[in-house]
Amino acid sequence: MQSKHSVSKIVLRFIQLLFCLFTAVTYSQTSEGIADAIAEKVQVLTRNQNLDNVYLQTSKGIYETKEDLWFKGYVLDAQSLIPSNRSKILFVQLIEDESDKVVWEEKYEIENGFVDGHLYLNDSLKSGSYTLAAYSATSFYKGIKNFNALRKLQILKNIDDNTKVVIPTAKKEDIASFEVFTEGGNMVSGIQNRIAFKALNAKGLPVTITGKLYENDIPILDFKSTHAGMGSLIFKPNSNHKYHIELTDYKNVKHQLPQIHPQGTVLQLVSNDNDFATFKVVKTKSINKENIYLRLQSRGIVYSIAMGVLDEKLTVKIPLKDVPQGIAEVTLFNGNIEPIAERLIYVNQQKKLNVLAIVDKSDYQIREKVSLKIKVTDQKNQPVVAHLGLGVFDQLYQNKLDSKNILTHYYLSTALNGTIYDPGYYFNEKNTDRHQALDLLLLTQGWRRYVWNEHNLTERNAHFQTFLSDSIVGLLGLENPNKKTVELTSKVVMVFTADPLKEKDIFTTDSNGVFSINSTHLKIGERGYLYLKPMAAEKPKHVINIKDNPFANINSARKEVTINYPLSKLQDKAVDNMRETWMRLNDIQKLDEVVITSNKKKVFRDKYLGTLDSLARLDSGNMDFVCLAGGPKRPILNCFMRNHHDGNTRTPKDGEMVVVLLGKNKEILGTDYPQQAYYGTREIIYKDSNQNLTEAELLRKFNLKMMKGYYGKREFYQAVYDEVTITDPLPDYRNTLFWKPNIITDTNGEASVDFYCSDINTNFTGIIEGVSGEGLLGFDNFEFRVKKDR
């Protein structure tokens, strides 16, 4: 990737312009100083921001409770889309959509821009829609308006709950919104203008429309939408006339056009191919000849600036060779370097990873091995080393309401503010009109919705502030500070885990007792907990305080952002997702997760705490005993009548019923009252304070702080069948046959994987996504059938 600071290397080269004034043709050369100034207007706003974008790929779209949810996180540089090393922690939440309740949150390790994660879906989860959301210090910040790092999922008690998937169907609905958009920004009298439009219903879904354009109440042009409620019309307006639009089914409603300016300049896209984007610039004849400048920038990086002298009309060809795939913003400046027109275009859709995944055949028997070959190339058919994630699952678990993939996420959703309908349409090569449809999307979305627009960048900079961190701040100080107590001059903290074989770290705080727990420490505590202990004498007592509340900050901040998730595609009819003759596996036996609890929330999840608990009991100094003179069912607590029990005693059991002796005033007698008379008995439940320490009490007793490390990785289970195990009578109910988040192709762009089918005979889908080291993205899917001979 070229440095975004090296403006002259990217921009300041000779750009040939075709300058057309009637039949005259001439050429012009850019001025380096002016080009620098125009480039700086946008690049200075992104120079120091170093932001990342996060994408989540999951093993499938629909899950059942009591199974694992597998996911891969892509943390890519927001400009280059190259895997980023800026952040080390990915904060992940699972949120129930209906209640907006967080049901899971953990910290995961980011390794070289990727996260290999999973979480267990407890049976306590209700059936419904959930959101898996991810945050990092460099992708989620104060001032962010739209949040994209999420994946919508369906979680069900049983897949039968989703037998019939309810998908919104295409039907006539009232139009809640009809908007028109002028190409370039302004309508100018006497110049041919292109007007785009979009019609939506109350749910934000597109509505197919037809209508007429009226001039002074006389119809002059018929039009209709061509894709997703969008379309365009071309005409030459007159500022002295009045114009409005009437839709065929809504004739009583007049939609006014934008203001028509008596004079001005219009920017029009003529063509857009793999080599050039060609524009026509036209101005009113009454405006004096002037220099104009055309800047093309993508994701905050300026790739070219063209200059020409505009008399009446000018044709400009901008080279696209160095521009990456995605949305580019073209801005027209006048001689005073003031923006007078803007246009979004989509460029170089061919610059991507061509991912080809081929199974060795289309039909398999149950438990048969599947061999998959993967080939990755670039647009020049050259092999590419790529980092890929692959999931293979029963088609019944595919979320047909979700059209999001790695291409739509990075190239559209994270580049445009606002919701996009069915973004996958624009990347499906089977749709021959996808380029024209994508151009309509950009016309109707508007350049002010482009994330990298100058106005948006300026506003973002004004509010930008990071609040998540890859380190956790701690403070070591006196438990009871006072003037008489002398602070340690050198304060030392030890960080360790329950596993004695794992490394530990001992470090010195700063002079104020402040220290940081970093990603290295969290790595030590992976799959468990970290323990922090002051390395100091018992007196004066020093304690550790930890400021670790990232999820509280996230929960507060996410209430202020707008969720930016694609709208699902409308279907011509409802989709019946029932298997026809395929095998249905009901009443699948799954192991429940084991959770140990008690009335006092005494939950020892870590063997280290269990060891400390045992030490606390041994060190309790408890002298209590019970005598069994009254029989094993009536043990007497601390009986003072020595000749009564004759040594037939034992240690009392926590929680057991014991008999106590009552004194004259009903006080309880014990060993401190030898040979005294007693006046009765009473039964009580014996409680030993040292036998019921909670986690917090136990940690306080041993002067420790405990915190979670990274949530641990887990290997996806893969069944392997040979001549012996293929006849194993134990049923195989796997609906996810394969999940591998870290497939890396070799220098030939190739990789191979093998996996085995389960006992479910149905159709299976494989989805593979990934990124190269150069920031190219790719996506592919494949299908095969598993059957059982009868």
PDB file of all heavy atoms in Angstrom, residues 289-307:
ATOM      1  N   LYS A 289     -15.105  31.719 -18.447  1.00  0.00           N
ATOM      2  CA  LYS A 289     -14.159  30.599 -18.536  1.00  0.00           C
ATOM      3  C   LYS A 289     -13.319  30.560 -17.256  1.00  0.00           C
ATOM      4  O   LYS A 289     -12.894  31.595 -16.736  1.00  0.00           O
ATOM      5  CB  LYS A 289     -13.259  30.798 -19.746  1.00  0.00           C
ATOM      6  CG  LYS A 289     -12.248  29.676 -19.981  1.00  0.00           C
ATOM      7  CD  LYS A 289     -11.228  30.035 -21.043  1.00  0.00           C
ATOM      8  CE  LYS A 289     -11.907  30.323 -22.371  1.00  0.00           C
ATOM      9  NZ  LYS A 289     -10.875  30.545 -23.454  1.00  0.00           N
ATOM     10  N   GLU A 290     -13.072  29.352 -16.756  1.00  0.00           N
ATOM     11  CA  GLU A 290     -12.278  29.240 -15.521  1.00  0.00           C
ATOM     12  C   GLU A 290     -11.594  27.886 -15.443  1.00  0.00           C
ATOM     13  O   GLU A 290     -11.967  26.933 -16.139  1.00  0.00           O
ATOM     14  CB  GLU A 290     -13.168  29.431 -14.282  1.00  0.00           C
ATOM     15  CG  GLU A 290     -14.196  28.338 -14.067  1.00  0.00           C
ATOM     16  CD  GLU A 290     -14.948  28.465 -12.759  1.00  0.00           C
ATOM     17  OE1 GLU A 290     -14.436  29.140 -11.841  1.00  0.00           O
ATOM     18  OE2 GLU A 290     -16.033  27.872 -12.650  1.00  0.00           O
ATOM     19  N   ASN A 291     -10.573  27.822 -14.577  1.00  0.00           N
ATOM     20  CA  ASN A 291      -9.929  26.543 -14.298  1.00  0.00           C
ATOM     21  C   ASN A 291     -10.854  25.706 -13.409  1.00  0.00           C
ATOM     22  O   ASN A 291     -11.477  26.224 -12.472  1.00  0.00           O
ATOM     23  CB  ASN A 291      -8.603  26.744 -13.564  1.00  0.00           C
ATOM     24  CG  ASN A 291      -7.549  27.364 -14.456  1.00  0.00           C
ATOM     25  OD1 ASN A 291      -7.588  27.211 -15.672  1.00  0.00           O
ATOM     26  ND2 ASN A 291      -6.600  28.074 -13.848  1.00  0.00           N
ATOM     27  N   ILE A 292     -10.910  24.437 -13.696  1.00  0.00           N
ATOM     28  CA  ILE A 292     -11.649  23.523 -12.807  1.00  0.00           C
ATOM     29  C   ILE A 292     -10.732  22.347 -12.467  1.00  0.00           C
ATOM     30  O   ILE A 292      -9.784  22.016 -13.206  1.00  0.00           O
ATOM     31  CB  ILE A 292     -12.971  23.041 -13.444  1.00  0.00           C
ATOM     32  CG1 ILE A 292     -12.713  22.357 -14.797  1.00  0.00           C
ATOM     33  CG2 ILE A 292     -13.960  24.173 -13.564  1.00  0.00           C
ATOM     34  CD1 ILE A 292     -12.701  20.866 -14.739  1.00  0.00           C
ATOM     35  N   TYR A 293     -11.023  21.700 -11.330  1.00  0.00           N
ATOM     36  CA  TYR A 293     -10.209  20.594 -10.839  1.00  0.00           C
ATOM     37  C   TYR A 293     -11.139  19.444 -10.451  1.00  0.00           C
ATOM     38  O   TYR A 293     -12.187  19.659  -9.835  1.00  0.00           O
ATOM     39  CB  TYR A 293      -9.373  21.020  -9.631  1.00  0.00           C
ATOM     40  CG  TYR A 293      -8.544  22.255  -9.891  1.00  0.00           C
ATOM     41  CD1 TYR A 293      -9.076  23.522  -9.660  1.00  0.00           C
ATOM     42  CD2 TYR A 293      -7.242  22.149 -10.377  1.00  0.00           C
ATOM     43  CE1 TYR A 293      -8.329  24.661  -9.923  1.00  0.00           C
ATOM     44  CE2 TYR A 293      -6.488  23.288 -10.631  1.00  0.00           C
ATOM     45  CZ  TYR A 293      -7.031  24.533 -10.403  1.00  0.00           C
ATOM     46  OH  TYR A 293      -6.293  25.655 -10.670  1.00  0.00           O
ATOM     47  N   LEU A 294     -10.756  18.258 -10.797  1.00  0.00           N
ATOM     48  CA  LEU A 294     -11.554  17.068 -10.489  1.00  0.00           C
ATOM     49  C   LEU A 294     -10.700  16.130  -9.643  1.00  0.00           C
ATOM     50  O   LEU A 294      -9.647  15.667 -10.101  1.00  0.00           O
ATOM     51  CB  LEU A 294     -12.003  16.384 -11.779  1.00  0.00           C
ATOM     52  CG  LEU A 294     -13.297  15.573 -11.727  1.00  0.00           C
ATOM     53  CD1 LEU A 294     -14.478  16.462 -11.342  1.00  0.00           C
ATOM     54  CD2 LEU A 294     -13.562  14.905 -13.065  1.00  0.00           C
ATOM     55  N   ARG A 295     -11.159  15.888  -8.410  1.00  0.00           N
ATOM     56  CA  ARG A 295     -10.406  15.032  -7.476  1.00  0.00           C
ATOM     57  C   ARG A 295     -11.128  13.702  -7.275  1.00  0.00           C
ATOM     58  O   ARG A 295     -12.334  13.664  -7.048  1.00  0.00           O
ATOM     59  CB  ARG A 295     -10.264  15.736  -6.127  1.00  0.00           C
ATOM     60  CG  ARG A 295      -9.506  14.927  -5.067  1.00  0.00           C
ATOM     61  CD  ARG A 295      -9.570  15.594  -3.701  1.00  0.00           C
ATOM     62  NE  ARG A 295     -10.920  15.565  -3.145  1.00  0.00           N
ATOM     63  CZ  ARG A 295     -11.314  16.266  -2.072  1.00  0.00           C
ATOM     64  NH1 ARG A 295     -10.455  17.089  -1.488  1.00  0.00           N
ATOM     65  NH2 ARG A 295     -12.542  16.178  -1.626  1.00  0.00           N
ATOM     66  N   LEU A 296     -10.382  12.613  -7.341  1.00  0.00           N
ATOM     67  CA  LEU A 296     -10.930  11.292  -7.027  1.00  0.00           C
ATOM     68  C   LEU A 296     -10.243  10.765  -5.776  1.00  0.00           C
ATOM     69  O   LEU A 296      -9.003  10.659  -5.736  1.00  0.00           O
ATOM     70  CB  LEU A 296     -10.726  10.319  -8.185  1.00  0.00           C
ATOM     71  CG  LEU A 296     -11.348   8.926  -8.002  1.00  0.00           C
ATOM     72  CD1 LEU A 296     -11.857   8.375  -9.331  1.00  0.00           C
ATOM     73  CD2 LEU A 296     -10.360   7.931  -7.388  1.00  0.00           C
ATOM     74  N   GLN A 297     -11.035  10.470  -4.756  1.00  0.00           N
ATOM     75  CA  GLN A 297     -10.483   9.903  -3.530  1.00  0.00           C
ATOM     76  C   GLN A 297     -11.330   8.708  -3.105  1.00  0.00           C
ATOM     77  O   GLN A 297     -12.535   8.667  -3.330  1.00  0.00           O
ATOM     78  CB  GLN A 297     -10.440  10.951  -2.406  1.00  0.00           C
ATOM     79  CG  GLN A 297     -11.775  11.469  -1.923  1.00  0.00           C
ATOM     80  CD  GLN A 297     -12.249  10.829  -0.615  1.00  0.00           C
ATOM     81  OE1 GLN A 297     -11.656   9.869  -0.137  1.00  0.00           O
ATOM     82  NE2 GLN A 297     -13.314  11.388  -0.045  1.00  0.00           N
ATOM     83  N   SER A 298     -10.659   7.728  -2.522  1.00  0.00           N
ATOM     84  CA  SER A 298     -11.327   6.533  -2.016  1.00  0.00           C
ATOM     85  C   SER A 298     -10.820   6.225  -0.621  1.00  0.00           C
ATOM     86  O   SER A 298      -9.608   6.148  -0.393  1.00  0.00           O
ATOM     87  CB  SER A 298     -11.053   5.341  -2.942  1.00  0.00           C
ATOM     88  OG  SER A 298     -11.645   4.158  -2.443  1.00  0.00           O
ATOM     89  N   ARG A 299     -11.742   6.096   0.316  1.00  0.00           N
ATOM     90  CA  ARG A 299     -11.425   5.814   1.720  1.00  0.00           C
ATOM     91  C   ARG A 299     -10.391   6.785   2.280  1.00  0.00           C
ATOM     92  O   ARG A 299      -9.470   6.411   3.008  1.00  0.00           O
ATOM     93  CB  ARG A 299     -10.971   4.363   1.887  1.00  0.00           C
ATOM     94  CG  ARG A 299     -12.047   3.356   1.509  1.00  0.00           C
ATOM     95  CD  ARG A 299     -11.742   1.974   2.040  1.00  0.00           C
ATOM     96  NE  ARG A 299     -10.661   1.315   1.363  1.00  0.00           N
ATOM     97  CZ  ARG A 299     -10.785   0.488   0.327  1.00  0.00           C
ATOM     98  NH1 ARG A 299     -11.982   0.242  -0.173  1.00  0.00           N
ATOM     99  NH2 ARG A 299      -9.742  -0.100  -0.204  1.00  0.00           N
ATOM    100  N   GLY A 300     -10.542   8.074   1.916  1.00  0.00           N
ATOM    101  CA  GLY A 300      -9.694   9.114   2.465  1.00  0.00           C
ATOM    102  C   GLY A 300      -8.326   9.245   1.833  1.00  0.00           C
ATOM    103  O   GLY A 300      -7.495  10.023   2.300  1.00  0.00           O
ATOM    104  N   ILE A 301      -8.057   8.495   0.764  1.00  0.00           N
ATOM    105  CA  ILE A 301      -6.782   8.590   0.061  1.00  0.00           C
ATOM    106  C   ILE A 301      -7.037   9.152  -1.325  1.00  0.00           C
ATOM    107  O   ILE A 301      -7.863   8.627  -2.079  1.00  0.00           O
ATOM    108  CB  ILE A 301      -6.087   7.216  -0.052  1.00  0.00           C
ATOM    109  CG1 ILE A 301      -5.834   6.635   1.346  1.00  0.00           C
ATOM    110  CG2 ILE A 301      -4.787   7.328  -0.830  1.00  0.00           C
ATOM    111  CD1 ILE A 301      -5.269   5.234   1.329  1.00  0.00           C
ATOM    112  N   VAL A 302      -6.348  10.218  -1.680  1.00  0.00           N
ATOM    113  CA  VAL A 302      -6.508  10.846  -2.985  1.00  0.00           C
ATOM    114  C   VAL A 302      -5.643  10.109  -4.003  1.00  0.00           C
ATOM    115  O   VAL A 302      -4.435   9.947  -3.804  1.00  0.00           O
ATOM    116  CB  VAL A 302      -6.134  12.338  -2.928  1.00  0.00           C
ATOM    117  CG1 VAL A 302      -6.205  12.954  -4.309  1.00  0.00           C
ATOM    118  CG2 VAL A 302      -7.045  13.078  -1.958  1.00  0.00           C
ATOM    119  N   TYR A 303      -6.266   9.673  -5.091  1.00  0.00           N
ATOM    120  CA  TYR A 303      -5.545   8.914  -6.115  1.00  0.00           C
ATOM    121  C   TYR A 303      -5.270   9.726  -7.374  1.00  0.00           C
ATOM    122  O   TYR A 303      -4.344   9.407  -8.113  1.00  0.00           O
ATOM    123  CB  TYR A 303      -6.315   7.641  -6.464  1.00  0.00           C
ATOM    124  CG  TYR A 303      -6.228   6.603  -5.374  1.00  0.00           C
ATOM    125  CD1 TYR A 303      -7.173   6.561  -4.356  1.00  0.00           C
ATOM    126  CD2 TYR A 303      -5.181   5.691  -5.330  1.00  0.00           C
ATOM    127  CE1 TYR A 303      -7.086   5.629  -3.332  1.00  0.00           C
ATOM    128  CE2 TYR A 303      -5.079   4.759  -4.314  1.00  0.00           C
ATOM    129  CZ  TYR A 303      -6.033   4.731  -3.318  1.00  0.00           C
ATOM    130  OH  TYR A 303      -5.936   3.810  -2.306  1.00  0.00           O
ATOM    131  N   SER A 304      -6.061  10.732  -7.644  1.00  0.00           N
ATOM    132  CA  SER A 304      -5.760  11.552  -8.827  1.00  0.00           C
ATOM    133  C   SER A 304      -6.480  12.887  -8.729  1.00  0.00           C
ATOM    134  O   SER A 304      -7.551  12.995  -8.115  1.00  0.00           O
ATOM    135  CB  SER A 304      -6.165  10.828 -10.115  1.00  0.00           C
ATOM    136  OG  SER A 304      -7.556  10.571 -10.133  1.00  0.00           O
ATOM    137  N   ILE A 305      -5.863  13.888  -9.347  1.00  0.00           N
ATOM    138  CA  ILE A 305      -6.464  15.213  -9.478  1.00  0.00           C
ATOM    139  C   ILE A 305      -6.213  15.686 -10.904  1.00  0.00           C
ATOM    140  O   ILE A 305      -5.073  15.694 -11.374  1.00  0.00           O
ATOM    141  CB  ILE A 305      -5.876  16.222  -8.471  1.00  0.00           C
ATOM    142  CG1 ILE A 305      -6.228  15.803  -7.044  1.00  0.00           C
ATOM    143  CG2 ILE A 305      -6.378  17.631  -8.761  1.00  0.00           C
ATOM    144  CD1 ILE A 305      -5.622  16.673  -5.980  1.00  0.00           C
ATOM    145  N   ALA A 306      -7.295  16.036 -11.586  1.00  0.00           N
ATOM    146  CA  ALA A 306      -7.184  16.515 -12.969  1.00  0.00           C
ATOM    147  C   ALA A 306      -7.533  17.994 -13.012  1.00  0.00           C
ATOM    148  O   ALA A 306      -8.379  18.468 -12.246  1.00  0.00           O
ATOM    149  CB  ALA A 306      -8.133  15.728 -13.873  1.00  0.00           C
ATOM    150  N   MET A 307      -6.873  18.731 -13.898  1.00  0.00           N
ATOM    151  CA  MET A 307      -7.150  20.153 -14.054  1.00  0.00           C
ATOM    152  C   MET A 307      -7.438  20.449 -15.518  1.00  0.00           C
ATOM    153  O   MET A 307      -6.821  19.871 -16.418  1.00  0.00           O
ATOM    154  CB  MET A 307      -5.958  20.993 -13.602  1.00  0.00           C
ATOM    155  CG  MET A 307      -6.224  22.493 -13.635  1.00  0.00           C
ATOM    156  SD  MET A 307      -4.731  23.487 -13.372  1.00  0.00           S
ATOM    157  CE  MET A 307      -4.020  23.419 -15.008  1.00  0.00           C
TER     158      MET A 307
END
